[in-house]
Amino acid sequence: MTTTTTMTTTTTMVATTTMTTTYWTETDSPVGTLLLTAGPDGALTSLSVPGQKGGRSVQEGWRHDAGPFRAAEEQLAAYFAGELKEFRLPLRAEGTAFRERVWAALDDVPYGVTTTYGEIAARIGASRPAVRAVGGAIGANPLLILRPCHRVIGSDGSLTGYAGGLERKTRLLTLEGIAPAR
């Protein structure tokens, strides 16, 4: 008589979720209260304004701490005083590869200069029909002011959408010495 022993191995998969702390603060500015968020490494992850389309709001579990934002607050104050033309802050915005290419192109638009959606599309090698997608990526920019989506205007020179509102866009362009067309 032969006895056969069968062994069964059960593997249990355990999903782990890594909690990342989000730090936040608010600061006053000439365009209203600014909500800033950052990750544990201090890189800014968003700058939102009240009423912003797609803007962030404080979530349960976030840590209110102005410490990680000292440099950002100083640079924003200098920008609004007309003393700073280029931000030098660690930024970390996460999006699709396409959005990240668009956002990188925004970073190259200098202070006091405007560009168009079509020009941004050309800079990233996107086709002419992709201009609408470029507009969507610009509208999803989580780092208003710091990543200058307010410098993007219509091909006819007109002001077009801005997640922070056209009044803020006008104020930012005026601050930078650009007389926006209406």
Side-chain angles (χ1 to χ4, degrees):
M1 183 181 245
T2 306
T3 304
T4 305
T5 305
T6 305
M7 290 181 44
T8 305
T9 304
T10 304
T11 304
T12 304
M13 301 292 284
V14 177
T16 57
T17 304
T18 304
M19 297 298 287
T20 302
T21 302
T22 298
Y23 294 90
W24 70 276
T25 196
E26 289 182 329
T27 189
D28 290 328
S29 82
V31 295
T33 302
L34 306 178
L35 170 65
L36 294 105
T37 64
D41 62 355
L44 296 172
T45 55
S46 73
L47 185 156
S48 301
V49 296
Q52 173 184 332
K53 179 183 173 189
R56 296 188 87 177
S57 58
V58 177
Q59 303 295 309
E60 187 174 329
W62 286 8
R63 287 188 54 195
H64 184 243
D65 183 353
F69 303 99
R70 292 194 204 307
E73 288 178 320
E74 289 171 6
Q75 289 186 36
L76 283 161
Y79 169 78
F80 286 116
E83 301 165 356
L84 181 80
K85 297 189 182 340
E86 184 177 339
F87 293 102
R88 297 199 182 279
L89 297 165
L91 306 176
R92 189 183 66 247
E94 295 178 7
T96 65
F98 179 79
R99 283 184 174 180
E100 289 181 6
R101 285 195 341 257
V102 171
W103 297 339
L106 287 176
D107 290 338
D108 293 335
V109 180
Y111 180 96
V113 175
T114 58
T115 190
T116 67
Y117 296 92
E119 289 168 349
I120 294 289
R123 285 183 196 177
I124 67 166
S127 65
R128 185 72 188 148
V131 170
R132 187 175 300 269
V134 166
I138 291 170
N141 170 22
L143 290 157
L144 293 188
I145 304 168
L146 303 173
R147 179 159 283 142
C149 54
H150 59 276
R151 297 179 188 150
V152 182
I153 60 173
S155 59
D156 62 357
S158 64
L159 291 187
T160 55
Y162 181 63
L166 288 180
E167 180 182 324
R168 282 190 184 97
K169 182 172 189 165
T170 300
R171 292 184 76 184
L172 293 168
L173 293 174
T174 302
L175 170 74
E176 294 186 15
I178 304 166
R182 276 296 205 175

